[in-house]
């Protein structure tokens, strides 16, 4: 099953992260020379370029394309979404017919941005072209695009970029290297739409030039700030190719932020980007949260669906609870990562109501506690919150990390935020390491009433009121002496 194969690729990648983090500790030699542009940038310059993204912590992923027209259903199947073409084996000409039905008259970019902003999200990344090869803007790279092939007759990206900026959010675009519609990607067998192993060199060069045309438009017309590549795991796509696109794009816009999937997920590790390993600016664990962070200067973002599908599936009502999403966000931030949470709009341009309601609830928690997430760094405390399963395995066969939802911590200069998922009986007790407490209070207590605490050397005990202020996560603020 292709997805399974791909998931294994991703899972292998995650194990590479862990291996690279360990290897990095021994200052491993770069396995892949850095892209020229990447190598020319100092770590401090790169940290400055990544600053808004690092401080944002939480973004909205949007998967929207022709696959929203069937909405996950086809010939009795109800489990489909953005992999519709591959999973059904539908003929290209028959899939193209969905374009004539794609007319998102209810699309309101300002409404989408309001939903993201109310959720506490600071940036949006939308699919400009997914594996189906259908461009969501009027590109010169292919006439297989929303302006030329649909009754809607115009692009949807620039209006969203402008709406995002009006609301103070950042805007990014997802772009798939794999393109099931492009003639260069002849199917390896009937009913399949891409060849995972080989591509004619002349067709590949032509396709790379087409990608550059399309990518340059995204930079110049939407002023995209993040290029979120995907569909890079085929044998015919290499880190060399990724470095060519990376350098091309960063020359177009030196401030652009590009994910690691511009390179080839098999060839390079995701951690240690600034050591020249892999290509790109941040790692992209998918549908999972790494066991621990990767240390300073290594950027990463977990992307995750809100239900079980990236693209719209009319039957999928398996929405993650507000508790799960908030605690995932906290867990990720406590390890120094970002959380890109996905919605799959309907073909009409409407984001499903249950998704909107869930995002509003998440925003409610962030309205009170956002200070403990935005602009924070990882926990200053040692120790893991969880352990590896002795029975469950990941897709790569490695033991699955099982998180323990007791508490986490995030940090800023002069403050440590202890996120209490379980409410301790009277006292929060921790081996505080180098943290020297000066005062303590609960973030959700409008009065910030001081809490009693004792610290003997490395042991810190904070006296807590009987009841938590928030059933999902009550944040204890420890002001520190640094
Ligand atoms: C998976 C899905 C792909 C989706 C991506 C987002 O790879 O197969 O469709 O765009 O995740 O990270």
């Amino acid at each position: 099953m292709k997805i399974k194969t791909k998931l294994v690729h991703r899972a292998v990648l995650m194990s590479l992260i862990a291996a690279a983090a360990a290897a990095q500790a021994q200052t491993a030699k770069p396995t892949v020379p850095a892209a020229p542009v990447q190598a020319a940038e100092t770590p401090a310059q790169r940290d400055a370029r990544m600053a808004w993204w690092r401080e944002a912590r939480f973004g909205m992923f949007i998967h929207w394309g022709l696959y929203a027209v069937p909405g996950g259903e086809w010939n009795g199947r109800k489990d489909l979404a953005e992999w519709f073409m591959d999973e059904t084996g539908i003929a290209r000409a028959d899939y193209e017919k969905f374009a004539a039905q794609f007319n998102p008259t209810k699309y309101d970019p300002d409404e989408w941005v309001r939903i993201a902003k109310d959720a506490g999200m600071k940036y949006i990344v939308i699919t400009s072209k997914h594996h189906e090869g259908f461009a969501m803007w009027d590109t010169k790279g292919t006439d297989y695009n929303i302006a030329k092939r649909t009754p809607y007759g115009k692009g949807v990206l620039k209006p969203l970029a402008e709406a995002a900026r009006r609301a103070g959010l950042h805007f990014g675009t997802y772009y798939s290297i794999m393109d099931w519609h492009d003639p260069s990607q002849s199917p390896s067998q009937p009913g399949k739409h891409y060849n995972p192993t080989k591509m004619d060199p002349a067709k590949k060069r032509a396709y790379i030039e087409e990608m550059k045309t399309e990518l340059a438009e995204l930079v110049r017309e939407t002023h995209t700030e993040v290029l979120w590549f995907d569909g890079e795991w085929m044998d015919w796509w290499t880190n060399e190719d990724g470095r060519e696109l990376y350098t091309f794009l960063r020359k177009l816009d030196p401030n652009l932020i590009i994910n690691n999937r511009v390179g080839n997920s098999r060839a390079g590790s995701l951690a240690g980007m600034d050591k020249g390993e892999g290509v790109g600016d941040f790692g992209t664990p998918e549908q999972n949260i790494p066991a621990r962070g990767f240390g300073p200067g290594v950027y990463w973002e977990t992307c995750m669906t809100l239900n079980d599908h990236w693209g719209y599936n009319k039957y999928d009502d398996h929405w993650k609870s507000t508790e799960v999403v908030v605690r995932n966000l906290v867990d990720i931030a406590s390890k120094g990562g970002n959380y890109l949470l996905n919605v799959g709009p309907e073909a009409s341009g409407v984001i499903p109501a249950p998704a909107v309601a869930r995002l509003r609830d998440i925003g409610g928690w962030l309205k009170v506690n956002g200070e403990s997430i935005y602009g924070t760094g990882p926990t200053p405390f040692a120790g893991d919150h969880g352990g590896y399963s002795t029975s469950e395995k990941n897709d790569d066969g490695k033991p699955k990390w099982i998180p323990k939802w007791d508490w986490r911590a995030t940090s800023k200069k002069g403050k440590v935020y202890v996120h209490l998922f379980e409410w301790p009986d009277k006292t929060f007790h921790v081996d505080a390491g180098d943290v020297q407490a000066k005062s303590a209070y609960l973030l959700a207590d409008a009065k910030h009433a001081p809490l009693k605490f004792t610290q003997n050397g490395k042991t810190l005990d904070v006296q807590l009121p009987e009841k938590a202020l928030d059933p999902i996560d009550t944040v204890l603020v420890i002001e520190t002496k640094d």
Side-chain angles (χ1 to χ4, degrees), residues 208-255:
I208 289 176
E209 293 312 312
E210 177 197 323
M211 284 200 282
K212 286 182 176 178
T213 298
E214 294 168 0
L215 292 165
E217 289 169 356
L218 291 175
V219 172
R220 292 188 177 118
E221 293 170 21
T222 74
H223 304 296
T224 185
E225 298 166 81
V226 179
L227 237 306
W228 211 101
F229 284 94
D230 190 28
E232 85 299 348
W233 58 86
M234 297 74 66
D235 292 353
W236 50 262
W237 188 255
T238 69
N239 263 355
E240 294 299 333
D241 300 323
R243 258 197 302 283
E244 179 180 341
L245 287 191
Y246 182 93
T247 300
F248 169 76
L249 284 164
R250 289 282 318 284
K251 282 180 177 167
L252 279 180
D253 177 356
N255 293 319

Side-chain angles (χ1 to χ4, degrees), residues 24 43 46-47 54 271-275 293-300 335-336 378:
Q24 194 183 15
R46 183 160 164 274
D47 286 345
R54 177 181 64 243
M273 291 292 166
D274 55 344
K275 298 282 182 300
F294 305 102
V298 179
Y299 295 97
W300 58 278
K335 297 165 182 173

Side-chain angles (χ1 to χ4, degrees), residues 76-337:
R77 286 186 63 172
K78 296 184 175 180
D79 59 344
L80 300 162
E82 76 288 350
W83 271 70
F84 183 104
M85 264 183 87
D86 185 75
E87 292 179 339
T88 62
I90 186 174
R92 201 173 285 171
D94 290 336
Y95 187 83
E96 287 176 0
K97 290 173 185 160
F98 288 131
Q101 302 168 55
F102 192 80
N103 188 16
T105 52
K106 293 182 181 169
Y107 174 53
D108 176 355
D110 285 299
E111 171 67 3
W112 284 19
V113 168
R114 187 194 59 72
I115 292 166
K117 188 161 187 174
D118 283 359
M121 294 161 154
K122 299 294 185 183
Y123 61 107
I124 291 172
V125 177
I126 183 170
T127 50
S128 65
K129 183 190 84 165
H130 204 267
H131 309 335
E132 64 180 5
F134 185 75
M136 299 296 275
W137 80 105
D138 189 6
T139 175
K140 294 180 180 59
T142 172
D143 77 346
Y144 190 51
N145 72 61
I146 189 170
K148 299 286 191 298
R149 298 288 193 98
T150 76
Y152 192 66
K154 57 191 174 188
V156 291
L157 302 182
K158 194 173 175 192
L160 186 62
E162 291 168 346
R165 289 194 184 94
R166 278 196 295 274
L169 269 62
H170 294 269
F171 175 79
T173 40
Y174 163 113
Y175 183 91
S176 176
I177 293 163
M178 178 168 68
D179 180 330
W180 296 331
H181 190 270
D182 193 87
S184 63
Q185 298 181 43
S186 56
S188 52
Q189 65 265 11
K192 285 297 171 190
H193 291 286
Y194 73 110
N195 188 331
T197 55
K198 59 182 181 301
M199 181 191 267
D200 170 85
K203 287 184 179 177
K204 177 176 172 182
R205 177 40 52 192
Y207 179 58
I208 289 176
E209 293 312 312
E210 177 197 323
M211 284 200 282
K212 286 182 176 178
T213 298
E214 294 168 0
L215 292 165
E217 289 169 356
L218 291 175
V219 172
R220 292 188 177 118
E221 293 170 21
T222 74
H223 304 296
T224 185
E225 298 166 81
V226 179
L227 237 306
W228 211 101
F229 284 94
D230 190 28
E232 85 299 348
W233 58 86
M234 297 74 66
D235 292 353
W236 50 262
W237 188 255
T238 69
N239 263 355
E240 294 299 333
D241 300 323
R243 258 197 302 283
E244 179 180 341
L245 287 191
Y246 182 93
T247 300
F248 169 76
L249 284 164
R250 289 282 318 284
K251 282 180 177 167
L252 279 180
D253 177 356
N255 293 319
L256 199 59
I257 293 172
I258 301 167
N259 78 349
N260 66 293
R261 299 186 190 183
V262 67
N264 185 300
S265 53
R266 284 193 321 285
S269 67
L270 300 182
M273 291 292 166
D274 55 344
K275 298 282 182 300
E277 292 182 7
V279 188
D281 299 314
F282 63 93
T284 51
E286 179 182 302
Q287 301 284 38
N288 75 81
I289 301 169
R292 52 186 75 89
F294 305 102
V298 179
Y299 295 97
W300 58 278
E301 171 195 74
T302 280
C303 58
M304 207 177 269
T305 51
L306 188 53
N307 54 8
D308 292 334
H309 290 85
W310 299 98
Y312 174 58
N313 178 295
K314 68 183 82 164
Y315 294 103
D316 183 351
D317 58 2
H318 188 225
W319 305 102
K320 290 176 179 64
S321 68
T322 302
E323 175 179 293
V324 163
V325 172
V326 167
R327 290 182 176 180
N328 282 348
L329 175 61
V330 171
D331 186 28
I332 290 165
S334 76
K335 297 165 182 173

